[in-house]
Amino acid sequence: MEFRIERGELTDAVAWAARVLPTRSPVPVLGGLLLAAEGGRLRISGLDFEASARIDVEAETLRPGRVLVMGRRLLDICKVLPDGAVECAVEGSRFAITGDGARFGLSVLPLDDYPALPTLPEVRGAVDAAEFAAAVAHVTVAAGRDDTLPTLTGIRLGLDGTTMTLAATDRYRFAVRTLPWKAAEPEATADVVVSARRLTEIARSLGRSGLVSVALDAGSAGFEHAGMRTTVRLLDGRLPRHDKLFAMADPALAVMDRARLVEAVKRVSVVADGDSPIKLTFSAADGTVLLQAGYEDDVAAQRLPATLEGADGMTVAFNPSYLMDALTSFEEPVVRLHLLGPGQRAMITGDPVPAGTTHQHLLMSVKPPLV
């Protein structure tokens, strides 16, 4: 096996495939990347027990063949290679990498011990890469972090006709984003849970232009875009449906500038010990909201313009980190808070909402602190 490729292209391809490699594994070959050169193409593949990745890039094939080498060591080498063309070849039991006078050698791992890469499931349709990445980022902030409740660490991926739904919850908050997608079958439906960490990595890595093919079967999800293909094992269980939870009868509606609210929350939460709540007091008559945090002499406050409809006044309080996560997941200049009252559900939405999409973030308000 022997091929020639630009150092930057090799580094990017190795880094992309190495994302899925386990940090530690009882099976040493799973730390390896499989490189296959043939017909002017280089294919780099990696896998662990939960996910797989495969990427195809152009390379001048001097001698076709395959080799398995330690992936993270190969990536370390690629990062320090000189810029320009790199030549790679199997020389006996060593994989040699040379470029502009620099030369490295890597031990070759046994190919016979390497498991077969999982096949891509049935393609169900395609979604815009940039919209998909944004939607995953919007909901992943609400995913759980407790591995003893694995289903809650996932993102619900729902497909229904021309709509894709992404949702996540850790029981204290619930984020939902819908976006249009192109279904291969108009009547196709699906409702699965994918690891939030894995799906975030995948969405970030697939690029920001073109269409991402989405594939699903009973046990795995697959994504393919511009020569990159990755699969991930589905999580067991189902996330709770949000439909009834999101239905709010006659809420008060508070509207304010998102950027100013984010800065105010950041500012007053400096005195909030741990997750002690931030209190928001809305006044319809004054057209303001007063943010307050802290206890006794260690307090902070800031007043901002805000409109309130449906009530003369309203006081609610939130966990500051949950509130900040929710607000920063939006990109719209204005946010709307749909409020039922202290200790009850509160819904955050953006304004204006892009056509064909929805983005909703549900938070539970807590008992307002005595400031």
Side-chain angles (χ1 to χ4, degrees):
M1 175 193 190
E2 186 175 0
F3 62 89
R4 184 181 293 115
I5 188 173
E6 287 295 314
R7 175 256 182 186
E9 294 182 7
L10 178 62
T11 303
D12 290 344
V14 169
W16 192 86
R19 296 176 304 105
V20 301
L21 298 182
T23 304
R24 296 177 182 174
S25 173
V27 184
V29 292
L30 289 184
L33 287 178
L34 178 63
L35 281 65
E38 185 177 8
R41 305 289 293 178
L42 173 66
R43 173 171 292 176
I44 305 177
S45 309
L47 78 161
D48 70 1
F49 294 113
E50 294 184 354
S52 72
R54 193 192 83 184
I55 182 169
D56 290 355
V57 293
E58 293 184 1
E60 182 183 356
T61 305
L62 305 175
R63 181 161 40 99
R66 301 192 306 160
V67 67
L68 183 67
V69 296
M70 292 304 296
R72 289 197 168 85
R73 177 61 58 86
L74 176 60
L75 180 58
D76 289 341
I77 291 172
C78 289
K79 289 178 178 178
V80 298
L81 282 168
D83 289 334
V86 176
E87 292 190 9
C88 303
V90 175
E91 300 174 349
S93 61
R94 176 180 295 171
F95 181 62
I97 309 160
T98 61
D100 195 22
R103 181 177 176 84
F104 296 87
L106 277 177
S107 300
V108 172
L109 300 174
L111 277 171
D112 292 341
D113 296 341
Y114 195 66
L117 210 68
T119 58
L120 190 72
E122 178 188 356
V123 174
R124 301 295 187 92
V127 63
D128 181 84
E131 290 185 2
F132 180 65
V136 172
H138 291 161
V139 303
T140 195
V141 295
R145 308 290 189 269
D146 185 356
D147 289 333
T148 64
L149 299 170
T151 303
L152 294 183
T153 66
I155 291 176
R156 176 186 171 231
L157 174 59
L159 305 176
D160 187 4
T162 59
T163 301
M164 172 184 287
T165 300
L166 300 173
T169 181
D170 61 2
R171 297 181 297 175
Y172 306 104
R173 46 193 171 161
F174 207 137
V176 175
R177 171 72 191 272
T178 64
L179 65 160
W181 89 304
K182 298 180 179 180
E185 298 288 341
E187 303 301 321
T189 61
D191 189 350
V192 300
V193 181
V194 184
S195 161
R197 179 178 64 85
R198 294 285 189 183
L199 193 58
T200 298
E201 290 177 351
I202 290 169
R204 287 174 177 171
S205 70
L206 288 176
R208 293 293 187 270
S209 62
L211 294 176
V212 174
S213 296
V214 180
L216 291 173
D217 62 19
S220 64
F223 305 88
E224 189 170 24
H225 174 66
M228 296 174 283
R229 173 184 292 188
T230 185
T231 63
V232 60
R233 182 176 60 84
L234 300 177
L235 297 179
D236 293 331
R238 292 286 184 270
L239 290 183
R241 300 291 297 223
H242 65 277
D243 310 71
K244 293 183 178 179
L245 188 63
F246 279 32
M248 302 175 68
D250 300 322
L253 177 64
V255 181
M256 65 202 91
D257 181 273
R258 187 184 68 86
R260 294 188 67 179
L261 180 58
V262 167
E263 288 302 314
V265 172
K266 188 184 303 184
R267 188 170 293 121
V268 301
S269 63
V270 168
V271 299
D273 292 329
D275 289 326
S276 63
I278 291 180
K279 182 168 71 172
L280 287 76
T281 303
F282 295 91
S283 170
D286 294 342
T288 65
V289 57
L290 177 63
L291 285 78
Q292 298 171 281
Y295 297 98
E296 297 180 347
D297 293 330
D298 297 328
V299 295
Q302 182 170 356
R303 191 177 296 275
L304 295 175
T307 63
L308 181 67
E309 301 175 2
D312 294 332
M314 178 75 72
T315 298
V316 290
F318 299 102
N319 175 301
S321 61
Y322 289 179
L323 180 58
M324 182 62 76
D325 285 344
L327 293 173
T328 54
S329 72
F330 287 86
E331 300 171 0
E332 294 81 9
V334 173
V335 288
R336 296 171 173 265
L337 274 65
H338 307 256
L339 306 170
L340 294 177
Q344 301 189 58
R345 292 167 292 154
M347 175 77 72
I348 303 176
T349 58
D351 186 23
V353 178
T357 70
T358 62
H359 179 194
Q360 300 167 292
H361 197 113
L362 191 75
L363 287 175
M364 286 301 298
S365 63
V366 298
K367 183 179 179 181
L370 300 174
V371 180

